[in-house]
Amino acid sequence: MRWTLLALSAAIAATVWLPAEAAQPAAPASASGDPITFEQYRDWRLAFIERRQSDLARQLAASDLPAQRKTRLEQVKAYYDWLAGLPESDRDRRFHQRFDRIDANHDGVIDAAERATWRDKQRAIYGRGRGAVEPAAIREAR
């Protein structure tokens, strides 16, 4: 029973981490605080999908994987395989929908404040850092 709970906790923790990562740009733009264009966002998402597929394949190759964890990893891998297999126009439409939700002022770029707001929103939704997460609006008001 303990191993089942441990495996379930690990699976939940791994999947909770993913949504906020989806708003992160390539390193040069985030390091300098430069705004991110849709093209940069799309390129980052495509690279993220490839990295995630490789990571999931590596995890699934483990011989001592508990059944429940394996099932969850297979579900997540199926999602990324499906997303990677979409026609470019469908995939870009989905990326644009998320980009538009992150780009709060709809100026065609995601700036550092919009990234921080999105990250805070995702953390609040998925419960990461409970109690320690402070919304960007509060940080900026100080």
Side-chain angles (χ1 to χ4, degrees):
M1 181 67 166
R2 280 187 179 163
W3 288 109
T4 304
L5 290 175
L6 179 63
L8 181 59
S9 297
I12 291 170
T15 56
V16 163
W17 172 75
L18 294 175
E21 291 300 312
Q24 298 299 317
S30 67
S32 66
D34 291 340
I36 302 164
T37 65
F38 172 73
E39 290 75 19
Q40 290 170 311
Y41 175 77
R42 180 190 56 220
D43 293 345
W44 182 87
R45 287 285 298 174
L46 292 171
F48 178 80
I49 290 168
E50 286 181 27
R51 284 191 316 268
R52 192 69 180 122
Q53 285 177 302
S54 296
D55 184 49
L56 289 164
R58 182 186 51 75
Q59 290 178 44
L60 283 165
S63 60
D64 60 344
L65 198 60
Q68 193 171 14
R69 174 81 174 133
K70 182 176 182 177
T71 299
R72 180 62 186 142
L73 288 172
E74 287 171 343
Q75 290 170 342
V76 174
K77 186 174 182 319
Y79 166 75
Y80 283 103
D81 290 346
W82 168 80
L83 189 58
L86 283 175
E88 185 177 336
S89 60
D90 290 345
R91 194 176 55 231
D92 279 359
R93 181 182 49 78
R94 289 174 184 277
F95 290 169
H96 254 296
Q97 289 171 340
R98 175 163 280 195
F99 183 87
D100 289 343
R101 287 195 316 259
I102 300 168
D103 181 18
N105 63 4
H106 304 292
D107 63 353
V109 295
I110 300 173
D111 59 36
E114 289 168 328
R115 282 196 311 269
T117 300
W118 180 258
R119 223 176 1 260
D120 289 348
K121 179 180 176 184
Q122 295 302 298
R123 286 179 178 154
I125 290 170
Y126 294 100
R128 279 177 282 131
R130 286 181 201 193
V133 175
E134 187 176 309
I138 293 172
R139 284 195 306 266
E140 292 172 5
R142 288 186 182 163

